[in-house]
Amino acid sequence: MDADVERDIDADVESDVEAGVAGAEAGVDAARVTDADEATSGPHAAGSAGPAGPAGSGIMALSLPYQVVAAVALAVAGVFVCVHLAMVFLHVAPSNTLTKRHGQAVDDWVYPEFEQNWKLFAPNPLQQNVSVEVRAEVVTAGDGRSTTGWIDLTAQDAAAIRHNPLPSHTQQNELRRAVDFYLNSHSDDDSPHGMRGHLSEEYMRRIAMLRLDGLPSLEGADVRRVQLRAVTRPVPAPRWSTEKNDETPSYRELPWWKATGADLPDGATPPDGAAPSRTEAGR
């Protein structure tokens, strides 16, 4: 074969190979571009925020009338919370100009639903233990009368509370609140201050009769009169303290009260000759 012809054939072959390689590379580049376009614009594109959310959320999603109602309700609730917190703070805070001037308004707001039995910064921590004791005059066989020894009601409550993970509110506070009620409504000579004083006496007497009714030693006894006393014992100073305080207990004995039918627990028989209750006397 002629040399010129061979050179022409080789040149044509090389040209065809180069064209094929260039076409393949162009196809690969086009495929890459297509994949990149799909990756950036497709539903699974990286960094895509997904479908667009609603135009508004929360209150802004409501219609205008409902937005106004919700805003007013939130404002009223916010004002109520602020006023309540301010009233409770003034109630538990130490005495100041505001509490002296507006103390009645603060008490009207707090009592009785929001009563607090503690003071901010503990200005007067308890340094005494107060226990309530009771004794009774009972009728024995042959119409004889005898008086029991003093029975510590507070010790009974303490024994019921000790090791009890869920003690009752009555065991924790009934006696303490009853004594506070009585002392705050009576003078030092046990003269009652109006109706509250008489109510506190009835309350104390009925607590005493209820506790005595549950004692095995007085089962079936005819209790005619009861007497209570408050025993105040100072809390001793800790062993590491050099403070010396008088640990002698003090006593405040309340008057003898005659037991009435209204003072007895449900189902108990009134003692013979016991004075009728106010309800029975009015019938």
Side-chain angles (χ1 to χ4, degrees):
M1 182 178 292
D2 192 279
D4 294 335
V5 174
E6 291 180 357
R7 285 195 296 271
D8 292 339
I9 294 173
D10 293 338
D12 292 339
V13 170
E14 291 178 358
S15 177
D16 292 340
V17 170
E18 291 176 356
V21 171
E25 291 177 350
V28 171
D29 292 340
R32 290 176 179 173
V33 171
T34 302
D35 293 340
D37 292 340
E38 291 180 354
T40 56
S41 62
H44 301 291
S48 176
S57 59
I59 295 180
M60 300 307 297
L62 302 174
S63 61
L64 181 59
Y66 286 105
Q67 290 182 17
V68 173
V69 172
V72 171
L74 290 175
V76 171
V79 171
F80 175 82
V81 170
C82 292
V83 171
H84 177 70
L85 292 177
M87 289 295 189
V88 173
F89 176 81
L90 291 175
H91 177 68
V92 301
S95 180
N96 55 70
T97 304
L98 285 176
T99 55
K100 291 178 181 178
R101 180 175 299 179
H102 305 290
Q104 186 60 46
V106 173
D107 290 343
D108 292 342
W109 179 276
V110 171
Y111 292 107
E113 288 83 4
F114 309 114
E115 180 181 1
Q116 304 291 324
N117 291 322
W118 55 276
K119 294 294 183 181
L120 199 62
F121 309 126
N124 53 345
L126 295 178
Q127 298 181 353
Q128 299 172 330
N129 285 324
V130 180
S131 59
V132 181
E133 299 178 352
V134 63
R135 63 179 177 178
E137 184 182 271
V138 298
V139 176
T140 59
D143 200 26
R145 292 176 181 263
S146 63
T147 303
T148 66
W150 289 104
I151 302 169
D152 194 340
L153 302 181
T154 302
Q156 295 177 359
D157 287 347
I161 293 172
R162 190 173 293 112
H163 307 305
N164 184 356
L166 297 173
S168 72
H169 183 77
T170 299
Q171 293 168 339
Q172 298 179 77
N173 298 311
E174 182 182 59
L175 287 175
R176 178 180 60 84
R177 298 298 300 273
V179 172
D180 289 343
F181 183 25
Y182 180 89
L183 296 179
N184 291 331
S185 58
H186 283 73
S187 61
D188 293 339
D189 60 352
D190 294 308
S191 298
H193 299 320
M195 181 60 69
R196 288 180 60 85
H198 294 291
L199 288 175
S200 67
E201 292 178 6
E202 293 181 4
Y203 187 50
M204 292 281 289
R205 190 169 65 244
R206 292 177 185 181
I207 291 176
M209 293 297 294
L210 180 63
R211 300 296 185 90
L212 292 174
D213 184 69
L215 294 178
S217 59
L218 294 178
E219 184 176 359
D222 186 359
V223 178
R224 295 299 178 87
R225 296 195 306 165
V226 294
Q227 184 184 29
L228 292 102
R229 72 176 181 182
V231 184
T232 303
R233 296 179 175 88
V235 176
R239 290 176 296 179
W240 47 262
S241 174
T242 58
E243 180 183 356
K244 302 296 183 181
N245 56 350
D246 186 7
E247 300 181 14
T248 304
S250 59
Y251 303 87
R252 176 170 177 175
E253 295 186 0
L254 306 185
W256 280 97
W257 291 323
K258 183 180 294 186
T260 69
D263 302 328
L264 300 177
D266 294 339
T269 303
D272 296 336
S277 65
R278 293 185 179 181
T279 304
E280 294 170 344
R283 293 178 180 175

Coordinates of all heavy atoms in Angstrom, one line a residue, residues 82-135:
C82 N -49.6 39.6 88.9 CA -48.7 40.6 89.5 C -49.3 41.2 90.8 O -48.5 41.3 91.8 CB -48.5 41.8 88.5 SG -47.5 41.3 87.0
V83 N -50.6 41.4 90.8 CA -51.2 41.9 92.0 C -51.1 40.9 93.1 O -50.8 41.2 94.3 CB -52.7 42.3 91.8 CG1 -53.4 42.6 93.1 CG2 -52.7 43.5 90.8
H84 N -51.4 39.6 92.8 CA -51.4 38.5 93.8 C -50.0 38.4 94.4 O -49.8 38.3 95.6 CB -51.8 37.2 93.2 CG -51.7 36.0 94.1 ND1 -52.6 35.9 95.2 CD2 -50.9 35.0 94.1 CE1 -52.3 34.8 95.8 NE2 -51.2 34.2 95.2
L85 N -48.9 38.4 93.5 CA -47.6 38.2 94.0 C -47.2 39.4 94.9 O -46.5 39.3 96.0 CB -46.6 38.1 92.9 CG -46.7 36.8 92.0 CD1 -45.7 36.9 90.9 CD2 -46.4 35.6 92.9
A86 N -47.7 40.6 94.5 CA -47.4 41.8 95.4 C -48.0 41.7 96.7 O -47.4 42.0 97.8 CB -47.8 43.1 94.6
M87 N -49.3 41.2 96.8 CA -50.0 41.1 98.0 C -49.4 40.1 98.9 O -49.2 40.3 100.1 CB -51.5 40.8 97.7 CG -52.3 41.9 97.1 SD -52.5 43.3 98.3 CE -53.7 44.3 97.4
V88 N -49.0 38.9 98.4 CA -48.4 37.9 99.2 C -47.1 38.3 99.7 O -46.7 38.1 100.8 CB -48.3 36.6 98.4 CG1 -47.5 35.5 99.1 CG2 -49.7 36.0 98.0
F89 N -46.3 39.0 98.9 CA -45.0 39.6 99.3 C -45.2 40.5 100.5 O -44.4 40.4 101.5 CB -44.3 40.2 98.1 CG -43.0 40.9 98.5 CD1 -41.8 40.1 98.6 CD2 -42.9 42.2 98.8 CE1 -40.6 40.7 99.0 CE2 -41.7 42.8 99.2 CZ -40.6 42.1 99.3
L90 N -46.1 41.4 100.4 CA -46.4 42.4 101.5 C -46.8 41.7 102.7 O -46.5 42.1 103.8 CB -47.4 43.5 101.0 CG -46.9 44.4 100.0 CD1 -48.1 45.3 99.5 CD2 -45.7 45.3 100.5
H91 N -47.6 40.6 102.5 CA -48.1 39.8 103.7 C -47.0 39.2 104.5 O -47.0 39.1 105.7 CB -49.1 38.8 103.2 CG -49.7 37.9 104.3 ND1 -50.5 38.4 105.3 CD2 -49.5 36.6 104.6 CE1 -50.8 37.4 106.1 NE2 -50.2 36.3 105.7
V92 N -46.0 38.6 103.7 CA -44.9 37.9 104.4 C -43.7 38.7 104.7 O -42.8 38.3 105.4 CB -44.5 36.6 103.6 CG1 -45.7 35.7 103.4 CG2 -43.9 37.1 102.2
A93 N -43.7 40.0 104.2 CA -42.5 40.8 104.4 C -42.6 41.4 105.8 O -43.6 41.5 106.4 CB -42.5 41.9 103.3
P94 N -41.4 41.8 106.3 CA -41.4 42.6 107.6 C -42.3 43.8 107.5 O -42.5 44.4 106.4 CB -39.9 42.9 107.8 CG -39.2 41.9 107.0 CD -40.1 41.6 105.8
S95 N -42.7 44.3 108.6 CA -43.5 45.5 108.7 C -42.8 46.7 108.0 O -41.6 46.9 108.2 CB -43.8 45.9 110.2 OG -44.6 47.0 110.2
N96 N -43.5 47.4 107.2 CA -43.0 48.5 106.5 C -44.1 49.6 106.2 O -45.2 49.4 106.7 CB -42.4 48.1 105.1 CG -43.4 47.3 104.3 OD1 -44.3 47.9 103.7 ND2 -43.1 46.0 104.2
T97 N -43.7 50.7 105.5 CA -44.7 51.7 105.3 C -45.9 51.3 104.6 O -47.1 51.6 104.9 CB -44.0 52.9 104.6 OG1 -42.9 53.3 105.3 CG2 -45.0 54.1 104.4
L98 N -45.8 50.5 103.5 CA -46.9 50.0 102.8 C -47.8 49.1 103.6 O -49.1 49.2 103.5 CB -46.4 49.3 101.5 CG -45.8 50.1 100.4 CD1 -45.3 49.2 99.3 CD2 -46.9 51.1 99.9
T99 N -47.3 48.2 104.4 CA -48.1 47.3 105.1 C -48.8 48.0 106.3 O -49.9 47.7 106.6 CB -47.3 46.2 105.7 OG1 -46.2 46.7 106.5 CG2 -46.7 45.3 104.6
K100 N -48.2 49.1 106.8 CA -48.9 49.9 107.8 C -50.0 50.7 107.3 O -51.0 50.9 107.9 CB -47.9 50.8 108.5 CG -46.8 50.1 109.4 CD -45.8 51.0 110.0 CE -44.8 50.3 110.8 NZ -43.7 51.2 111.3
R101 N -49.8 51.2 106.0 CA -50.9 52.0 105.4 C -52.0 51.2 104.8 O -53.1 51.5 104.8 CB -50.2 52.9 104.4 CG -51.2 53.9 103.7 CD -50.5 54.8 102.8 NE -49.6 55.7 103.5 CZ -48.8 56.6 102.9 NH1 -48.9 56.7 101.6 NH2 -48.0 57.3 103.6
H102 N -51.6 50.0 104.2 CA -52.6 49.2 103.4 C -52.7 47.8 104.0 O -53.0 46.9 103.2 CB -52.2 49.2 101.9 CG -52.0 50.5 101.3 ND1 -53.0 51.4 101.0 CD2 -50.8 51.1 100.9 CE1 -52.6 52.5 100.5 NE2 -51.2 52.4 100.4
G103 N -52.4 47.7 105.3 CA -52.4 46.3 105.9 C -53.8 45.7 105.8 O -53.9 44.4 105.5
Q104 N -54.9 46.4 105.9 CA -56.2 45.8 105.9 C -56.5 45.3 104.5 O -57.1 44.2 104.3 CB -57.3 46.9 106.3 CG -58.7 46.3 106.4 CD -58.8 45.2 107.4 OE1 -58.3 45.3 108.6 NE2 -59.4 44.1 107.1
A105 N -56.1 46.1 103.5 CA -56.4 45.6 102.1 C -55.6 44.3 101.8 O -56.1 43.4 101.1 CB -56.0 46.7 101.1
V106 N -54.3 44.3 102.3 CA -53.5 43.0 102.1 C -54.2 41.9 102.8 O -54.3 40.8 102.3 CB -52.1 43.3 102.6 CG1 -51.3 42.0 102.6 CG2 -51.4 44.4 101.8
D107 N -54.6 42.0 104.1 CA -55.3 40.9 104.8 C -56.6 40.5 104.1 O -56.9 39.3 104.0 CB -55.6 41.4 106.2 CG -54.3 41.5 107.1 OD1 -53.3 41.0 106.6 OD2 -54.4 42.2 108.1
D108 N -57.3 41.5 103.6 CA -58.6 41.1 102.9 C -58.3 40.3 101.6 O -59.1 39.4 101.3 CB -59.3 42.4 102.5 CG -59.9 43.1 103.7 OD1 -60.0 42.5 104.8 OD2 -60.2 44.3 103.6
W109 N -57.2 40.5 101.0 CA -56.8 39.8 99.8 C -56.3 38.4 100.2 O -56.6 37.4 99.5 CB -55.7 40.5 99.0 CG -55.3 39.8 97.7 CD1 -54.4 38.8 97.6 CD2 -55.8 40.0 96.4 NE1 -54.2 38.4 96.4 CE2 -55.1 39.1 95.6 CE3 -56.7 40.8 95.9 CZ2 -55.3 39.0 94.2 CZ3 -57.0 40.8 94.5 CH2 -56.3 39.9 93.7
V110 N -55.5 38.3 101.2 CA -54.8 37.0 101.5 C -55.7 36.1 102.3 O -55.8 34.9 101.9 CB -53.5 37.3 102.4 CG1 -53.0 36.0 102.9 CG2 -52.5 38.1 101.5
Y111 N -56.5 36.5 103.2 CA -57.3 35.6 104.0 C -58.7 35.4 103.4 O -59.2 36.3 102.8 CB -57.5 36.2 105.5 CG -56.3 36.3 106.3 CD1 -55.6 37.5 106.5 CD2 -55.7 35.1 106.8 CE1 -54.5 37.5 107.3 CE2 -54.5 35.2 107.6 CZ -53.9 36.4 107.8 OH -52.8 36.4 108.6
P112 N -59.2 34.2 103.5 CA -58.6 33.0 104.1 C -57.9 32.1 103.0 O -57.3 31.1 103.4 CB -59.7 32.3 104.7 CG -60.9 32.6 103.8 CD -60.6 34.0 103.3
E113 N -58.1 32.4 101.7 CA -57.7 31.4 100.7 C -56.2 31.3 100.5 O -55.7 30.3 100.3 CB -58.3 31.8 99.3 CG -59.8 31.6 99.2 CD -60.6 32.7 99.8 OE1 -60.0 33.7 100.2 OE2 -61.9 32.6 99.8
F114 N -55.5 32.5 100.7 CA -54.1 32.5 100.4 C -53.2 32.7 101.7 O -52.2 33.3 101.7 CB -53.7 33.6 99.4 CG -54.6 33.5 98.2 CD1 -55.5 34.5 97.9 CD2 -54.5 32.4 97.3 CE1 -56.3 34.5 96.8 CE2 -55.3 32.4 96.2 CZ -56.2 33.4 95.9
E115 N -53.7 32.2 102.8 CA -53.0 32.5 104.1 C -51.6 31.8 104.1 O -51.4 30.7 103.6 CB -53.8 31.9 105.2 CG -53.2 32.1 106.6 CD -54.0 31.5 107.7 OE1 -55.1 30.9 107.4 OE2 -53.6 31.6 108.9
Q116 N -50.7 32.6 104.6 CA -49.3 32.1 104.7 C -48.9 32.1 106.2 O -49.1 33.1 106.9 CB -48.3 33.1 104.0 CG -48.7 33.2 102.5 CD -48.4 31.9 101.7 OE1 -47.5 31.2 102.0 NE2 -49.3 31.7 100.7
N117 N -48.3 31.0 106.7 CA -48.0 30.9 108.1 C -46.5 31.0 108.3 O -45.9 30.5 109.2 CB -48.5 29.6 108.7 CG -50.0 29.5 108.7 OD1 -50.6 30.5 109.1 ND2 -50.6 28.4 108.4
W118 N -45.8 31.8 107.4 CA -44.4 32.0 107.6 C -44.1 33.4 107.2 O -44.9 34.1 106.6 CB -43.6 31.1 106.7 CG -43.9 31.1 105.3 CD1 -45.0 30.4 104.7 CD2 -43.3 31.9 104.2 NE1 -45.0 30.7 103.4 CE2 -44.0 31.6 103.1 CE3 -42.3 32.8 104.2 CZ2 -43.7 32.2 101.8 CZ3 -42.0 33.4 103.0 CH2 -42.7 33.0 101.8
K119 N -43.0 33.9 107.7 CA -42.6 35.3 107.4 C -41.3 35.3 106.7 O -40.4 34.5 106.9 CB -42.4 36.0 108.8 CG -43.7 36.2 109.6 CD -44.7 37.1 108.8 CE -45.9 37.4 109.6 NZ -46.9 38.2 108.9
L120 N -41.2 36.3 105.8 CA -40.0 36.4 105.0 C -38.8 36.8 105.8 O -38.9 37.6 106.7 CB -40.2 37.6 103.9 CG -39.3 37.6 102.7 CD1 -39.5 36.3 101.9 CD2 -39.6 38.8 101.8
F121 N -37.7 36.1 105.6 CA -36.4 36.3 106.3 C -36.5 35.8 107.8 O -35.6 36.0 108.6 CB -36.0 37.8 106.3 CG -36.0 38.4 105.0 CD1 -36.6 39.6 104.7 CD2 -35.2 37.8 103.9 CE1 -36.6 40.1 103.4 CE2 -35.2 38.4 102.7 CZ -35.9 39.5 102.4
A122 N -37.6 35.1 108.2 CA -37.8 34.5 109.5 C -37.4 35.5 110.6 O -36.4 35.3 111.3 CB -37.0 33.2 109.6
P123 N -38.1 36.6 110.7 CA -37.7 37.6 111.8 C -38.0 37.0 113.2 O -37.4 37.5 114.2 CB -38.6 38.8 111.5 CG -39.8 38.2 110.8 CD -39.3 37.0 110.0
N124 N -38.9 36.0 113.4 CA -39.1 35.5 114.7 C -39.2 34.0 114.7 O -40.3 33.4 114.8 CB -40.5 36.1 115.2 CG -41.6 35.8 114.2 OD1 -41.4 35.5 113.1 ND2 -42.8 36.0 114.7
P125 N -38.1 33.3 114.5 CA -38.1 31.9 114.5 C -38.5 31.3 115.8 O -38.3 31.9 116.9 CB -36.6 31.5 114.2 CG -35.8 32.7 114.7 CD -36.7 33.9 114.4
L126 N -39.2 30.2 115.7 CA -39.7 29.6 117.0 C -38.6 29.1 117.9 O -37.6 28.5 117.4 CB -40.6 28.4 116.6 CG -41.9 28.7 115.8 CD1 -42.6 27.4 115.5 CD2 -42.8 29.6 116.6
Q127 N -38.7 29.5 119.1 CA -37.7 29.0 120.1 C -38.4 28.4 121.3 O -37.8 28.2 122.4 CB -36.9 30.3 120.6 CG -36.1 30.9 119.5 CD -35.3 32.1 120.0 OE1 -35.4 32.5 121.2 NE2 -34.5 32.7 119.2
Q128 N -39.6 27.9 121.1 CA -40.4 27.3 122.2 C -41.2 26.1 121.6 O -41.6 26.2 120.5 CB -41.3 28.3 122.9 CG -40.6 29.5 123.5 CD -41.6 30.5 124.0 OE1 -42.7 30.7 123.4 NE2 -41.3 31.2 125.1
N129 N -41.4 25.1 122.4 CA -42.3 24.1 122.1 C -43.5 24.2 123.0 O -43.4 24.3 124.2 CB -41.6 22.7 122.4 CG -40.6 22.3 121.4 OD1 -40.8 22.6 120.2 ND2 -39.5 21.7 121.8
V130 N -44.7 24.3 122.4 CA -45.9 24.4 123.1 C -46.7 23.2 122.9 O -47.0 22.7 121.8 CB -46.7 25.7 122.6 CG1 -48.0 25.8 123.3 CG2 -45.9 26.9 122.7
S131 N -47.1 22.6 124.0 CA -48.0 21.4 124.0 C -49.3 21.6 124.7 O -49.3 22.5 125.6 CB -47.2 20.2 124.6 OG -46.9 20.5 126.0
V132 N -50.3 20.9 124.3 CA -51.6 21.1 124.9 C -52.0 19.8 125.7 O -51.8 18.7 125.2 CB -52.7 21.3 123.8 CG1 -54.1 21.5 124.4 CG2 -52.3 22.5 122.9
E133 N -52.4 20.0 126.9 CA -52.7 18.9 127.8 C -54.2 19.1 128.3 O -54.7 20.2 128.3 CB -51.8 18.8 129.0 CG -50.3 18.6 128.6 CD -49.4 18.6 129.8 OE1 -49.8 18.9 130.9 OE2 -48.2 18.2 129.6
V134 N -54.8 18.0 128.6 CA -56.2 18.0 129.1 C -56.4 17.1 130.3 O -55.7 16.1 130.4 CB -57.2 17.7 128.0 CG1 -56.9 16.2 127.5 CG2 -58.6 17.9 128.4
R135 N -57.2 17.5 131.2 CA -57.7 16.5 132.2 C -59.2 16.7 132.3 O -59.8 17.6 131.9 CB -57.0 16.9 133.6 CG -57.3 18.2 134.1 CD -56.6 18.4 135.5 NE -56.9 19.7 136.0 CZ -56.4 20.1 137.2 NH1 -55.6 19.3 137.9 NH2 -56.6 21.3 137.7

